[in-house]
Amino acid sequence: MVKVLFVCLGNICRSPTAEGVFAHKLERLGLTDEISIDSAGTGHWHVGKAPDGRAIAAAAGRGYRLEQLRARQAVAGDFALFDYILAMDSDNLAHLQALKPAGFTGHLGLFLEFAGQGAPTSVPDPYYGGDDGFQQVLDLIEAAADGLLVHIQQQQLAQR
Ligand code: 4NP
């Protein structure tokens, strides 16, 4: 089982969107027994809350369900549980690097590393913006989700 954690600031916009998009792909491809996912925020403000209504609506427009998700905060213990810890932006990544125990052997990096050539490095925070921001979040996350899936499948094949 490969375990992936998506991390943003609030865990109510970007990382639950990544979780919902990736979950949809795993279900469609029959990979839910091989790859497990979760999401978390570096901040604590929204712990226990459902995703932002704008994120839920934008995702629903493309066939992804987010409303069942609940926010939690990323903790040092996550490094013992996940193989990939993927930050939505460089601030989130810096926070996670400070939290990372010395012995972590998994992959800590930016999610958009998997989005391919020409993609930005960070998913812009849509919280204080308009609906366009949520569409852009989905575009970037869909691209990176496809790249991440290919990467994990290649890694697993290489280990057989
Ligand atoms: P997220 O968006 O990190 O994509 O979940 C945000 C949600 C809440 C806040 C900032 C960003 N906030 O400042 O409360």
Side-chain angles (χ1 to χ4, degrees), residues 23 52 54 62 72 124 150 154:
D52 188 291
R54 298 167 296 171
R62 298 194 193 187
R72 73 168 179 89
V150 169
Q154 283 173 346

Side-chain angles (χ1 to χ4, degrees), residues 20-147:
V21 168
F22 209 69
H24 183 87
K25 292 184 187 293
L26 294 179
E27 279 157 30
R28 263 210 343 231
L29 295 167
L31 293 173
T32 52
D33 289 342
E34 295 183 40
I35 304 175
S36 77
I37 56 175
D38 193 11
S39 66
T42 57
H44 58 82
W45 312 283
H46 302 284
V47 168
K49 289 197 198 143
D52 188 291
R54 298 167 296 171
I56 292 174
R62 298 194 193 187
Y64 309 117
R65 277 189 71 229
L66 308 187
E67 66 270 19
Q68 74 285 5
L69 302 175
R70 293 295 176 268
R72 73 168 179 89
Q73 191 170 20
V75 293
D78 285 320
F79 287 89
L81 300 178
F82 292 92
D83 306 297
Y84 289 85
I85 299 187
L86 301 174
M88 296 298 134
D89 68 33
S90 49
D91 287 344
N92 310 149
L93 180 58
H95 184 109
L96 291 165
Q97 276 161 344
L99 204 60
K100 181 177 75 138
F104 179 62
T105 56
H107 178 106
L108 171 62
L110 290 166
F111 182 39
L112 292 190
E113 278 172 32
F114 297 99
Q117 291 246 321
T121 54
S122 291
V123 182
D125 183 346
Y127 189 67
Y128 293 106
D131 289 339
D132 282 4
F134 287 86
Q135 294 302 326
Q136 191 194 2
V137 164
L138 278 162
D139 291 341
L140 292 169
I141 283 172
E142 285 178 334
D146 285 334

Side-chain angles (χ1 to χ4, degrees), residues 2 84 107 114 148-160:
V2 178
Y84 289 85
H107 178 106
F114 297 99
L148 177 62
L149 254 179
V150 169
H151 168 86
I152 290 175
Q153 288 177 309
Q154 283 173 346
Q155 290 287 111
Q156 285 180 312
L157 281 177
Q159 281 167 21
R160 278 183 196 156

